[in-house]
Amino acid sequence: MFFWDLTAWTAQNVFLRMVTALLLGGVIGIDRGVKRRGGGARTDAAVCLGAAMVMITAQYMENCYPASADMARMGSQVISGVGFLGAGSIIVSGHQVKGLTSAAGIWVCACIGLAVGIGFADGAILVTFVLLIGLHLLPLMEKTVNQYSRYVTLYVEASESRAASAFLHKIQSDGCKVDRFEVDRSGSGRQSLTIMLTIRIPRHIDQKEYLERLELYRGILSVDTL
């Protein structure tokens, strides 16, 4: 322990564990709710409190039935079982996947609840602050890095297979390196199809201007960056 020890089995410590779990989960949920993301204050607080209660129950069973209880097993079931909540917050909209951060946040809330439930409240508090700082700073760092990145993920709609092949040949002849290439055929014959690809644009090519030119290529209906 660092500065706050709640491991002793007393009524006061059990109450403080529950309150701490509720507050930490609520703080994370409020932060997500302010950004209009999934997993709001009530969800994260409930997950954190529930996980804490699992560990409190596990410690109670260890005290009452020392020969037949396994504290670690109950905690491991929470870590694996909370996945159904995370899966419910992930939304696939068109060609974009949203909610992964909210799902990870719910999982972290469960882990924080487990730590509080066993009395490791100081570690749980530190993780909560580190998580909140990371959720605010990492997007800024990521944005800065992406400004200098030459890799671009494109979602392309082509009118036919021939146009898609010609499009791929063009970007390769322009010196672009294709890192990933996926084709989703919506039909057969001359019907339209979609292409998901990640390319690396050479430094001597203006990225914005080049992407605008790609939209004008014959047989290409639209080009969106992800």
Side-chain angles (χ1 to χ4, degrees):
M1 301 304 164
F2 303 124
F3 54 85
W4 194 19
D5 188 357
L6 295 179
T7 56
W9 182 255
T10 64
Q12 178 182 358
N13 281 352
V14 170
F15 176 74
L16 288 175
R17 293 181 199 177
M18 293 180 181
V19 173
T20 302
L22 185 69
L23 291 177
L24 294 181
V27 168
I28 295 175
I30 290 173
D31 180 75
R32 301 301 298 165
V34 168
K35 299 177 182 178
R36 299 297 186 268
R37 301 290 192 267
R42 290 177 295 179
T43 300
D44 287 345
V47 169
C48 197
L49 180 60
M53 191 62 209
V54 168
M55 293 307 295
I56 292 173
T57 304
Q59 187 176 9
Y60 174 80
M61 294 174 61
E62 179 72 19
N63 293 334
C64 296
Y65 313 101
S68 58
D70 187 354
M71 297 177 62
R73 179 176 297 178
M74 294 187 67
S76 65
Q77 294 301 314
V78 172
I79 293 176
S80 59
V82 76
F84 79 95
L85 280 176
S89 65
I90 299 175
I91 302 175
V92 180
S93 177
H95 51 274
Q96 293 184 328
V97 179
K98 301 178 180 179
L100 290 175
T101 303
S102 297
I106 292 174
W107 185 83
V108 173
C109 280
C111 295
I112 291 172
L114 293 175
V116 175
I118 202 59
F120 189 33
D122 43 7
I125 293 173
L126 289 174
V127 168
T128 300
F129 279 106
V130 170
L131 174 65
L132 294 176
I133 292 173
L135 289 176
H136 286 270
L137 291 184
L138 289 177
L140 299 177
M141 296 172 60
E142 187 178 24
K143 182 179 180 180
T144 302
V145 172
N146 288 338
Q147 290 179 349
Y148 298 97
S149 175
R150 305 302 297 179
Y151 284 91
V152 181
T153 299
L154 303 178
Y155 182 81
V156 183
E157 293 187 13
S159 59
E160 57 181 355
S161 299
R162 184 180 302 175
S165 300
F167 178 80
L168 179 61
H169 178 73
K170 170 180 172 49
I171 61 177
Q172 289 177 328
S173 63
D174 290 338
C176 297
K177 177 183 177 182
V178 179
D179 187 64
R180 186 186 62 168
F181 184 80
E182 299 177 5
V183 177
D184 181 17
R185 300 181 182 275
S186 58
S188 58
R190 298 177 61 85
Q191 294 185 359
S192 63
L193 51 84
T194 59
I195 309 168
M196 182 85 72
L197 72 162
T198 301
I199 63 174
R200 184 184 184 280
I201 302 176
R203 294 191 177 277
H204 66 273
I205 297 179
D206 183 88
Q207 182 171 312
K208 182 178 180 180
E209 181 181 345
Y210 182 70
L211 294 178
E212 292 177 351
R213 292 205 311 266
L214 290 180
E215 294 182 353
L216 303 177
Y217 193 73
R218 185 177 60 185
I220 299 302
L221 304 178
S222 66
V223 177
D224 296 323
T225 57
L226 301 181

